[in-house]
Amino acid sequence: MVPWFAPADMHTWRMRLIAPRTIVLLFTLALVVITEFRLDWIERLVGDYLLTTNAYRPRSGAIWEKGREADSARQALAQHADQRAHMQREMRRAVSLGQVVAGIVDDKGAMISAEHFVELYLKLPPVLANEIASPYTLLSHLSSGRWQRTFFERQDEQLQVFMLDAGNQVTHRLRLSPDLLAHIERGEVAIRTGLDQLSDFADHIYSANRFFTALDDLPEATRRRIVAHPQDLLRAQGRIERVGISNRMLGDAVDLGFEVIGFDGPRVILMQGVSDDVRRIQRTLEEGGTPGWPWSGGSRP
């Protein structure tokens, strides 16, 4: 048996090096190293062992932290993509510009086609539509063929409207003020209340009979500037009892409120009219007379 204590001379060193046990040990080590380089069996064994014990080891360390951060980022991106896709679907289904404006989140924009924008633009009362842009401006951009999409973005309480071409280059930009946005979001809608509860109309409320009698004495063009969409009032479920005229103005527009009494209580349908014409019929109602022709700019049809 070869002793394992330190040899005393070189001869003993040589004898131990050529001993069978040493040769077998060296051969075994060489075989392990060579097979490891060729087959990676040690890494496989260690990996299989770690895999079987993975569920029992604490989830800590730099690798786990990076993994958690990556998972959180993927979930956030997926949620953002789902929200954006949902918002885009809602925008494509929008039936009014007020619905589009109301659906825009502060840190996200919204995109619709140029044709959809024009469709929603035409549904607005003429006064509000002209405050956004002249129809001739829209015709010019639409006929050029460059305007393909419309992007909405909130900036400093304003709404920026970008007309984009096929390459998403801005061809024209519109700015909508906060007051105009409030009118567009509200639009011609019905509020579940009475005129007395709306401070804008509380000081100028008239009976519907007096208002529509005075309106009927005006030329058609003037009537259209005061009540742009009378068909919406004809569709109202209930009887129009009173009409209110707002104290406030937005550019050339003034709000009118039509109080409808139905089975479910009162509601107010809001519309906008041209301020000059509305104020003149308002003065006539307050004076108790009839509008007459001189101020209306034409003869009664």
Side-chain angles (χ1 to χ4, degrees), residues 53-66 68 71:
T53 61
N54 189 53
Y56 309 103
R57 287 183 286 117
R59 299 187 178 186
S60 61
I63 299 299
W64 282 110
E65 290 299 324
K66 289 186 178 295
R68 278 192 286 268
D71 289 340

Side-chain angles (χ1 to χ4, degrees), residues 6-25:
D9 51 42
M10 293 299 297
H11 177 72
T12 307
W13 270 110
R14 287 195 297 271
M15 291 302 294
R16 288 189 182 182
L17 287 175
I18 62 175
R21 180 177 291 182
T22 304
I23 293 174
V24 171
L25 179 61

Side-chain angles (χ1 to χ4, degrees), residues 38-98:
R38 296 294 301 273
L39 304 176
D40 297 328
W41 60 274
I42 295 178
E43 285 88 346
R44 294 175 186 271
L45 286 176
V46 173
D48 291 341
Y49 170 75
L50 293 175
L51 184 62
T52 58
T53 61
N54 189 53
Y56 309 103
R57 287 183 286 117
R59 299 187 178 186
S60 61
I63 299 299
W64 282 110
E65 290 299 324
K66 289 186 178 295
R68 278 192 286 268
E69 290 174 1
D71 289 340
S72 298
R74 281 193 293 269
Q75 291 174 2
L77 287 172
Q79 185 178 10
H80 176 75
D82 290 343
Q83 290 175 348
R84 191 164 185 84
H86 174 73
M87 185 177 68
Q88 286 302 117
R89 287 193 297 270
E90 291 298 316
M91 294 299 103
R92 285 193 291 268
R93 289 197 292 261
V95 296
S96 70
L97 197 58

Side-chain angles (χ1 to χ4, degrees), residues 20 82 109 158-159 162 219 260 273 279 290:
D82 290 343
Q158 292 187 335
L159 185 70
F162 300 95
V260 180
R279 294 306 182 199
T290 57

Side-chain angles (χ1 to χ4, degrees), residues 4 92 222 234:
W4 290 107
R92 285 193 291 268
T222 305
L234 290 173

